[in-house]
Amino acid sequence: MSNKKNSRRNFLQLGAFGAAALITSPSWMKATAGETIAKKADQNSIKLGIAGYSFVNFNLDQSLAMMKRMDVKYLCIKDFHLPFNSTAEEIAAFHKKLADSNVTGYAVGPIYMKTKEEIDKAFDYCKRVGVNLMIGIPEIKDLPYVAQKAKENNVKFGIHNHGPEDKIYPNATVIWNHIKDLDKNLGMCFDMGHNVRDGQDSIKDLVRYKDRIFDIHLKNVTAADAKGSTCELGRGIIDIPAFTRALLKIKYPGCCSIEFEKDMKDPLAGIAESVGYFRGVLSAV
Amino acid sequence: MSNKKNSRRNFLQLGAFGAAALITSPSWMKATAGETIAKKADQNSIKLGIAGYSFVNFNLDQSLAMMKRMDVKYLCIKDFHLPFNSTAEEIAAFHKKLADSNVTGYAVGPIYMKTKEEIDKAFDYCKRVGVNLMIGIPEIKDLPYVAQKAKENNVKFGIHNHGPEDKIYPNATVIWNHIKDLDKNLGMCFDMGHNVRDGQDSIKDLVRYKDRIFDIHLKNVTAADAKGSTCELGRGIIDIPAFTRALLKIKYPGCCSIEFEKDMKDPLAGIAESVGYFRGVLSAV
């Protein structure tokens, strides 16, 4: 934030609100206002989203109302909000509804796919939805096929790790070992909470696998083993400020999408606290 | 956090959860776990509370349920939750109910007091409630009397500033000028949001008046003038990370109580986001 080029870029990123603040602030406030603007840019320097699964018990309107309230702008689309067999008209209406809430559906998934046919269907869905990122859980034997399809369709494909209960992809290192020699469009949706539940170090893994991390499920967990469960972002065992510093260090270009698997029938308070926590960390690191 | 004395103190502050995390973490996690614990201590290094007015539309049970959910432990008591004429039994039951939610009622107020009789009644209430901090709005002519009562009762009395609409105490400097030559038990409940709405610099004022700031109403605002209104802590024009750094620098010993004057009929999401934001900033500054 200290050089002029950065300041200017950050100022431009702010849009109308920041500009208005700068123009209307009394002169004695300029230094402070300038600082505030720099901080606001920090706060927005990483895209914050919500993983659709957080809203498994809510329809799209309810989910978007919560996102609007929290001013979160990116949603990873789950099929319970946009079914696989949606028509072009339904997909257009879906995107329109998101845009009306100032939300972008930036990816689809996670999608389980057990056969080549299901892989084909998933890529077809992704293409029809019009996003270039899909989160999925394919069989290991099908990974070369998935890599080929990802390359052909110019789609990034992120495999999701699901912790110690997941016999195929428990952690990021397992995924890495499967994909490292395959096409670079094949990567991971790094669930940094489940990775810790599997006894891994998510801060080190973020840096290690950065080139193939296309999406992140952001959460905290209560313990570094199978007994651990999701909790509010500031209340678990993962050092989120350290993780955030690593995100900034690697210049992570993707979304950090909060996946809140607690109080799933009444998640707004916990998601809002988590959203606030991440913004606070981003503003202050 | 770098010297051993601090580490030990912070460790001790953590209680059961932190100790368990330290003991059960696998060896490879120690560095990270240690960092996490230091950060957790940071996060708790300033007491976070809620100003009772945030819950003006909710009874005590509803308010405590929200606080418990956000894991916020300090409440500034408003008379709509504990009426001035409460009996000793009612006061005991009130404190018991708070304790059951792991909440401490640390102060009473803000209380308006127009006459010496109302001042007497307020001090009597404060004493019966059993707290040694009262937030109030007395008449300027009565300040020497309030100072005398505060000294006699060994109660800190914080005058609340209420922004440009407040003809008596619009900002912290006005209060300071009234109290600086009176007894040191007379100070302020620094509403750093209303202070900015009155065109003041709340970060400078925090440092300037630190010896007489007994309580803080923590909030952010949308503009630095009368048109400004409360918004979620991370979304306004006040640089909360800078304010927080100043709190740490002056070793502010009191509570920072969120006063959320937005969505007051459905405030949980906004308060939770604000709570998360402050914790995030504290964890990362």
Side-chain angles (χ1 to χ4, degrees):
Chain A
M1 289 310 124
S2 59
N3 71 57
K4 278 189 185 171
K5 203 171 174 184
N6 269 346
S7 298
R8 179 164 163 77
R9 196 194 58 208
N10 291 328
F11 173 74
L12 291 173
Q13 282 172 346
L14 272 178
F17 178 75
L22 197 69
I23 291 160
T24 60
S25 292
S27 61
W28 50 258
M29 230 193 139
K30 269 185 185 158
T32 309
E35 264 191 2
T36 306
I37 283 165
K39 292 299 165 191
K40 282 201 165 291
D42 274 349
Q43 187 172 321
N44 295 319
S45 60
I46 289 180
K47 290 196 281 288
L48 176 63
I50 307 278
Y53 183 63
S54 300
F55 296 134
V56 65
N57 294 305
F58 298 89
N59 66 30
L60 184 63
D61 288 334
Q62 294 168 322
S63 305
L64 290 174
M66 289 190 250
M67 291 187 70
K68 201 173 175 182
R69 185 137 182 217
M70 296 181 287
D71 197 27
V72 173
K73 300 188 170 66
Y74 297 92
L75 176 68
C76 188
I77 304 164
K78 277 294 283 184
D79 57 289
F80 51 72
H81 285 156
L82 183 63
F84 295 133
N85 61 0
S86 298
T87 64
E89 291 70 30
E90 286 164 341
I91 289 171
F94 174 89
H95 285 307
K96 168 79 168 61
K97 198 174 256 193
L98 262 61
D100 289 345
S101 290
N102 203 15
V103 168
T104 299
Y106 72 95
V108 293
I111 302 172
Y112 284 85
M113 43 194 85
K114 298 270 180 202
T115 62
K116 282 201 168 67
E117 195 193 357
E118 286 179 0
I119 294 167
D120 290 346
K121 277 178 67 178
F123 273 94
D124 176 61
Y125 172 68
C126 178
K127 225 170 164 177
R128 286 185 292 113
V129 174
V131 293
N132 58 8
L133 174 60
M134 168 159 46
I135 315 308
I137 302 99
E139 300 289 304
I140 289 167
K141 66 173 170 46
D142 291 329
L143 289 179
Y145 184 67
V146 172
Q148 177 200 321
K149 291 282 291 186
K151 190 177 181 184
E152 279 171 15
N153 288 278
N154 197 24
V155 160
K156 300 273 182 194
F157 188 101
I159 303 171
H160 181 263
N161 62 295
H162 220 146
E165 302 83 358
D166 183 343
K167 299 302 171 208
I168 316 183
Y169 307 113
N171 63 53
T173 300
V174 168
I175 296 176
W176 174 260
N177 287 327
H178 285 304
I179 65 171
K180 63 184 178 199
D181 299 323
L182 296 172
D183 188 81
K184 289 197 189 321
N185 277 2
L186 191 58
M188 55 184 102
C189 166
F190 181 40
D191 189 314
M192 42 72 86
H194 281 308
N195 197 55
V196 165
R197 289 183 62 252
D198 198 49
Q200 310 301 309
D201 184 329
S202 284
I203 296 162
K204 283 188 182 156
D205 287 348
L206 172 68
V207 178
R208 255 181 217 139
Y209 308 131
K210 63 184 165 62
D211 296 333
R212 304 290 272 275
I213 293 178
F214 302 149
D215 194 23
I216 289 175
H217 282 179
L218 185 69
K219 59 183 68 167
N220 214 324
V221 294
T222 55
D225 56 35
K227 281 181 244 114
S229 61
T230 306
C231 60
E232 293 77 5
L233 200 59
R235 300 201 221 168
I237 58 153
I238 304 174
D239 186 344
I240 300 297
F243 186 81
T244 305
R245 281 184 206 102
L247 285 170
L248 294 169
K249 193 178 162 191
I250 66 168
K251 297 187 176 28
Y252 173 66
C255 269
C256 284
S257 280
I258 290 175
E259 192 178 47
F260 194 67
E261 294 158 303
K262 178 186 175 184
D263 302 332
M264 292 196 82
K265 298 221 160 155
D266 177 22
L268 179 58
I271 299 177
E273 183 182 325
S274 300
V275 162
Y277 187 83
F278 190 60
R279 288 181 176 147
V281 168
L282 269 172
S283 295
V285 287
Chain B
M1 287 309 123
S2 57
N3 71 57
K4 278 191 183 170
K5 203 171 174 184
N6 268 348
S7 297
R8 177 163 165 76
R9 196 195 59 209
N10 290 329
F11 174 75
L12 291 174
Q13 283 172 346
L14 271 179
F17 178 76
L22 198 68
I23 291 161
T24 60
S25 292
S27 62
W28 51 257
M29 231 192 138
K30 266 183 188 161
T32 310
E35 264 190 1
T36 305
I37 282 164
K39 292 298 164 191
K40 283 201 163 291
D42 273 351
Q43 187 173 319
N44 295 318
S45 60
I46 288 179
K47 290 196 281 287
L48 176 63
I50 308 280
Y53 182 63
S54 300
F55 296 134
V56 66
N57 294 307
F58 298 89
N59 67 30
L60 184 62
D61 288 334
Q62 294 167 324
S63 305
L64 290 174
M66 289 190 251
M67 292 188 68
K68 202 173 173 181
R69 183 136 184 219
M70 296 181 286
D71 197 27
V72 173
K73 300 189 169 65
Y74 296 93
L75 175 68
C76 188
I77 304 163
K78 277 294 284 185
D79 58 289
F80 50 72
H81 285 155
L82 183 65
F84 296 133
N85 61 0
S86 298
T87 64
E89 290 70 31
E90 285 164 342
I91 290 171
F94 174 90
H95 286 308
K96 168 78 168 60
K97 196 174 258 190
L98 263 61
D100 290 344
S101 291
N102 204 16
V103 168
T104 299
Y106 72 96
V108 292
I111 302 172
Y112 284 85
M113 43 195 84
K114 298 271 180 201
T115 63
K116 282 200 169 64
E117 195 192 358
E118 285 180 1
I119 294 166
D120 290 347
K121 277 178 67 179
F123 274 95
D124 176 61
Y125 172 69
C126 179
K127 226 170 162 175
R128 286 185 291 113
V129 174
V131 293
N132 57 10
L133 174 59
M134 168 160 45
I135 315 308
I137 301 99
E139 299 290 304
I140 289 167
K141 67 174 169 47
D142 292 329
L143 288 180
Y145 184 66
V146 172
Q148 176 200 321
K149 292 281 293 187
K151 190 176 181 184
E152 279 170 15
N153 287 277
N154 196 25
V155 160
K156 300 273 182 196
F157 187 100
I159 303 172
H160 181 263
N161 61 295
H162 221 146
E165 302 83 359
D166 183 344
K167 298 305 170 204
I168 316 182
Y169 308 112
N171 63 52
T173 300
V174 168
I175 296 176
W176 173 260
N177 286 326
H178 285 304
I179 65 170
K180 63 184 178 199
D181 299 323
L182 295 171
D183 186 83
K184 291 199 187 317
N185 277 2
L186 190 57
M188 56 185 101
C189 166
F190 180 39
D191 190 313
M192 41 73 84
H194 281 308
N195 198 55
V196 166
R197 289 182 62 250
D198 199 48
Q200 310 301 309
D201 184 328
S202 283
I203 295 162
K204 283 187 182 155
D205 287 348
L206 172 68
V207 178
R208 256 181 215 138
Y209 308 130
K210 63 184 165 61
D211 295 334
R212 303 291 271 274
I213 293 178
F214 303 149
D215 195 22
I216 289 175
H217 283 179
L218 186 69
K219 60 183 67 165
N220 214 326
V221 294
T222 55
D225 56 33
K227 281 182 244 114
S229 61
T230 306
C231 60
E232 292 77 6
L233 202 58
R235 300 200 223 167
I237 58 154
I238 305 175
D239 185 345
I240 301 297
F243 186 82
T244 304
R245 280 184 208 104
L247 286 170
L248 294 169
K249 192 178 163 194
I250 66 168
K251 296 186 175 33
Y252 173 66
C255 270
C256 284
S257 281
I258 290 176
E259 193 178 46
F260 193 67
E261 295 159 302
K262 178 185 174 183
D263 302 332
M264 292 196 82
K265 298 219 160 157
D266 177 23
L268 180 57
I271 300 177
E273 184 183 325
S274 300
V275 161
Y277 186 84
F278 190 60
R279 288 181 175 147
V281 169
L282 269 172
S283 295
V285 288

